[in-house]
Amino acid sequence: QVQLVESGGGLVQPGGSLTLSCAASGSYIMGWYRQATGKQRELVATIDRDGTTKYADFVKGRFTSSRDNGRNTVYLQMNNLKPEDTAVYYCNTGGLRGYWGQGTQVTVSS
């Protein structure tokens, strides 16, 4: 059974940084999504098993995803955070009908 457990969210000031972690039960192609209040869930980044990454335009140059395959853990390093980055962030494998972490709240506010 696929299990995904996230950690690392919190409150940060604009311009600050946070790192999210997602511990998985195996080695999977992973995606990071986010959902702001009243908005649809949107794809933020993907990372393949070999570490190849892709990013949404609105986070390019600010967010970086990486993985530690020995620990079955993926990370999302978020720098230069903006208030519009405020959302619940989810890790995922298998696409929209796949498996989801429980979500972690990221709030960017002064």
Side-chain angles (χ1 to χ4, degrees), residues 10-108:
L11 172 64
V12 64
Q13 292 186 342
S17 299
L18 280 175
T19 300
L20 307 183
S21 300
C22 176
S25 54
S27 178
Y28 311 109
I29 298 171
M30 298 296 295
W32 289 97
Y33 288 76
R34 70 185 186 185
Q35 188 166 19
T37 302
K39 295 188 177 181
Q40 289 189 332
R41 194 169 297 190
E42 58 186 359
L43 180 63
V44 174
T46 60
I47 182 165
D48 291 347
R49 290 189 183 90
D50 65 357
T52 300
T53 52
K54 294 181 181 178
Y55 301 96
D57 286 344
F58 51 81
V59 302
K60 279 182 181 177
R62 300 189 299 123
F63 291 12
T64 302
S65 187
S66 60
R67 65 191 301 152
D68 181 340
N69 286 332
R71 296 173 182 250
N72 288 334
T73 300
V74 296
Y75 304 94
L76 186 67
Q77 172 71 41
M78 305 183 293
N79 297 327
N80 190 23
L81 283 161
K82 304 176 181 181
E84 52 263 42
D85 294 318
T86 295
V88 178
Y89 284 71
Y90 300 88
C91 59
N92 162 276
T93 188
L96 293 179
R97 295 186 177 184
Y99 299 89
W100 296 89
Q102 81 279 13
T104 186
Q105 176 71 46
V106 172
T107 302
V108 185

